[in-house]
């Protein structure tokens, strides 16, 4: 796989960076991750507020849940694609998802010292983004539940867990496959964005279509709908673990450095 943004091995004849320079670099990029996560969740809540909120001008354009999910899926998928592309080129991460950060660490392409700062930044950004949306939109955001995910009434907790974990596993397996084939990396942002859009569109009416702990963390805390929060947090991480195990068996993981 390609080098990660924190790879401290020499690219030229310059000596490797001293270990004490790694922590500031980790924190710098974690702040970038926090800002991106904040922007993402603010955008999601804002989109739900205008598409699904009562009496909004866009409500007539998206009268059904299906139309709203298609619009939301395309919106979030494009955002993921636009964030991931430049982030890969500049080596500044842009994961937007704790399960992705953990999964990349399990795939041996993300440094262990960056995992906790990134996860904290993403979850904190989720809360900040929803809080900002509540500040900007007030009761209008509250009336749409701060965009908190809810599963179908006839879906059990186990089914929701399996669907959310499976979706994340598929995404991470695609990442692992592309990562061992450098000629495919150019297409990875678009493919991942399409996968995220598909999860929202097809799993939205069923499990909620999150596949991202940060997607539900802020909305659930701000709205107070925390009953299934543990499922939406742990299931994607379980999916990343499963993907790493499968990728290891198929020898899709990069060798340890």
């Amino acid at each position: 796989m390609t080098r990660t943004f924190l790879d401290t091995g020499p690219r030229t004849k310059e000596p490797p960076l001293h270990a004490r320079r790694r922590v500031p670099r980790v924190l710098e990029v974690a702040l970038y991750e926090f800002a991106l996560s904040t922007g993402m969740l603010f955008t999601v809540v804002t989109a739900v507020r205008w598409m699904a909120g009562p009496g909004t001008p866009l409500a007539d354009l998206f009268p059904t849940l299906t139309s709203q999910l298609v619009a939301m899926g395309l919106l979030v998928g494009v955002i993921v694609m636009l964030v991931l592309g430049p982030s890969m080129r500049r080596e500044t991460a842009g994961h937007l998802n704790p399960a992705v950060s953990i999964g990349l660490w399990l795939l041996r392409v993300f440094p262990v010292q960056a995992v906790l700062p990134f996860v904290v930044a993403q979850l904190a950004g989720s809360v900040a983004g929803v809080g900002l949306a509540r500040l900007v939109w007030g009761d209008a955001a509250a009336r749409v539940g701060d965009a908190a995910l809810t599963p179908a009434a006839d879906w059990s907790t186990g089914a929701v867990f399996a669907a959310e974990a499976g979706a994340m596993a598929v995404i991470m397996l695609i990442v692992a496959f592309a990562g061992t084939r450098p000629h495919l990396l150019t297409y990875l942002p678009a493919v991942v964005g399409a996968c995220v859009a598909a999860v929202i569109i097809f799993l939205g009416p069923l499990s909620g279509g999150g596949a991202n702990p940060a997607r539900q963390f802020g909305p659930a805390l701000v709205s107070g709908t925390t009953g299934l929060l543990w499922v939406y947090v742990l299931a994607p991480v379980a999916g990343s673990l499963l993907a790493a195990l499968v990728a290891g068996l198929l020898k899709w993981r990069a060798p340890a450095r």
Side-chain angles (χ1 to χ4, degrees), residues 43 47 50 55-57 66 89 96 114 159 172 177 189 197 207 212 214 248 253 255:
T43 301
W50 285 104
T56 65
T66 299
R89 290 192 295 271
L96 301 171
M172 289 309 300
F177 181 81
S207 68
N212 180 349
R253 289 191 300 182

Side-chain angles (χ1 to χ4, degrees), residues 166-187:
M168 192 70 248
V170 170
I171 292 173
M172 289 309 300
L173 282 172
I174 291 173
V175 171
F177 181 81
T180 55
R181 292 158 179 81
H183 65 284
L184 296 178
L185 288 176
T186 301
Y187 308 102

Side-chain angles (χ1 to χ4, degrees), residues 97-187:
N97 187 335
V100 169
S101 299
I102 293 171
L104 291 177
W105 166 60
L106 292 171
L107 291 171
R108 301 177 184 175
V109 294
F110 192 66
V112 64
Q113 71 267 25
V115 174
L116 182 59
F118 264 54
V119 170
V120 171
Q122 290 152 354
L123 295 180
S126 175
V127 176
V130 179
L132 180 60
R134 179 68 78 91
L135 182 65
V136 172
W137 305 120
D139 289 341
R143 284 197 292 270
V144 294
D146 298 294
L149 301 173
T150 55
D154 58 346
W155 268 52
S156 67
T157 299
V160 174
F161 192 102
E164 294 291 305
M168 192 70 248
V170 170
I171 292 173
M172 289 309 300
L173 282 172
I174 291 173
V175 171
F177 181 81
T180 55
R181 292 158 179 81
H183 65 284
L184 296 178
L185 288 176
T186 301
Y187 308 102

